[in-house]
Amino acid sequence: MNLPSRVLRTELRRSVAPWAGAAVLAAALAFLELAHGPWSTGTTRWTAQWTSMALWTRHLLVFLWPLALGLGALQGLRDHRSGTVELLATTPRPARHRAAALVAPTALAVAAAFGVLVLLGAVRVLAGGAASTGAGWLPISLVGALALAAGAVLGVGVARTLPSALTPPALAVAGFALTNVLRQTTDAAVPASAVPNRLSLLSPTVADVRQTLFTLSAPVHLGQTLWLLGLAGTGLALLAAGTRRARLLALTPLLAGAALALPLLPADPRDTYVLDRAATARVCDGPVCVTAAHRARLDELAGPGRDALGLLRGALGDRAPATVHETTTPRAIGDPPERPYEALLVDFDDAVIGAAGGPELTRALVGQGIAPLCSPRGDRESGTLPETVAQSIAAAWALGDEPRPLDGTMHRAQDQAELAAPAWRAFSALAPAEQRQRIVALHTAAVACTDDPLDVLAGGASR
């Protein structure tokens, strides 16, 4: 089914293919650049890392794939609109050649538009100085381009089978409903869907990106590729089918693709995404370590991290953490963060850590080291108001100054100050030895996730 370049150029001029590609690219860029969301801020923005760029552009297939499906159907109605279906059927040209001439321009245009989107994202990632973590992101984008091409081919085939002006919008609406029913939600560590995981992975889209250290597993890439090839095969078979029996047989590639793909796709949602080994490799400056994906953050973390470890040794003695390193353990929304004794864990998605720098980062790290958060993770982790105030008091005591509201939390500075003032007055009135005992008790309670932190500072149950 090779298509000569001259024929392809002619078809591109006389078809909706260029407009289809422009529509896909314009819709994607408008969403990413004009709409505000997690793709535009923080460490998970679409131009922050290679993997986040690939995943966010794939996430857009929730509406780009139905768009490609509808545009393909519009192309499939071309001969019907011009009244040349019977005339073309009488020509000696093989049906597969006519099918290729009709479907190739639109399929290539939408796939190329997706490629341009990925290329623009790659340029932005490079300009931002993101560390290279290998080519693990590339299969994510390649499958996305294949999904759009397969959607366009299927749309052309369905429109040739059901030649009606209602077919393109109906197909686009049906595709949008399907991608939303199958779409995975929550975070990349533990995706969830309204249907079984294997069925949800038949959708070309992916879950919204909440963590940048995860990538799709190899069985997902392989299974989705087989399924999409089956969809494209059915579209091509429908184009060449001239009888009802042939149209029924045209479903064979789709069924075969599903039969091959479903056993390969993970049944457990936790096997859908895996840690990206290249991205999570540790890069260290003494006792302070980050992942390779955040190598650029090491310089700004190293100095405050070492200062924080020294202050924590003075505050907690042999109970103090010995290292600072970035956490790589997968957690779903609602899971509490890790709180080990031996290490001070840093999450660059933590709102307080992300908002701090220099001395303020040291303050935030000291507070986190003495009173690590116990509350479950939210979209931007910052802890409850008592936890935030306890961290500010603990950091002030270790630094020998007054409590200051922590920036970047969901809690207003006024609310933090009002709650901290009486607790600080009572705490600072104690003898130095008693203050140290309560700081150690606060650390023990926070790591074990027991008792209210301000109750512990006031001499509560964990003493």
Side-chain angles (χ1 to χ4, degrees), residues 74 193 262 304:
L74 187 62
S193 176
L262 286 173

Side-chain angles (χ1 to χ4, degrees), residues 79-241:
D79 294 344
H80 176 75
R81 290 195 306 269
S82 61
T84 60
V85 175
E86 293 182 2
L87 175 62
L88 293 173
T90 61
T91 63
R93 191 180 185 188
R96 64 179 183 275
H97 289 180
R98 295 197 305 272
L102 187 64
V103 76
T106 306
L108 290 174
V110 295
F114 188 77
V116 171
L117 175 67
V118 172
L119 180 60
L120 292 174
V123 170
R124 297 271 298 275
V125 171
L126 284 172
S132 175
T133 54
W137 61 273
L138 192 56
I140 302 172
S141 297
L142 291 176
V143 173
L146 175 61
L148 287 176
V153 173
L154 182 63
V156 174
V158 171
R160 286 296 296 271
T161 304
L162 302 171
S164 166
L166 297 177
T167 299
L171 208 53
V173 170
F176 186 71
L178 182 64
T179 55
N180 275 278
V181 168
L182 298 181
R183 183 166 63 97
Q184 293 179 335
T185 56
T186 73
D187 67 300
V190 189
S193 176
V195 298
N197 192 63
R198 281 186 170 130
L199 286 179
S200 73
L201 290 174
L202 295 181
S203 170
T205 188
V206 297
D208 49 328
V209 185
R210 296 183 183 272
Q211 299 184 48
T212 58
L213 301 179
F214 293 85
T215 188
L216 290 169
S217 62
V220 174
H221 295 316
L222 181 57
Q224 289 181 337
T225 298
L226 292 173
W227 162 243
L228 292 170
L229 290 175
L231 284 182
T234 288
L236 290 172
L238 286 173
L239 275 172

Side-chain angles (χ1 to χ4, degrees), residues 285-288 290 297-308 361 365:
D285 183 347
V288 181
V290 298
R297 307 289 295 267
L298 181 58
D299 288 342
E300 67 182 77
L301 181 65
R306 282 191 289 268
D307 292 343
L361 180 55
L365 290 172

Side-chain angles (χ1 to χ4, degrees), residues 22-47:
V24 167
L25 182 59
L29 287 175
F31 183 88
L32 291 171
E33 298 296 336
L34 302 180
H36 181 75
W39 55 85
S40 58
T41 59
T43 61
T44 59
R45 69 186 186 279
W46 80 286
T47 55

Side-chain angles (χ1 to χ4, degrees), residues 51-75:
T51 302
S52 63
M53 181 271 293
L55 288 173
W56 274 124
T57 50
R58 270 289 295 277
H59 181 71
L60 297 186
L61 265 61
V62 70
F63 65 86
L64 293 182
W65 190 78
L67 181 61
L69 198 63
L71 291 169
L74 187 62
Q75 170 74 347

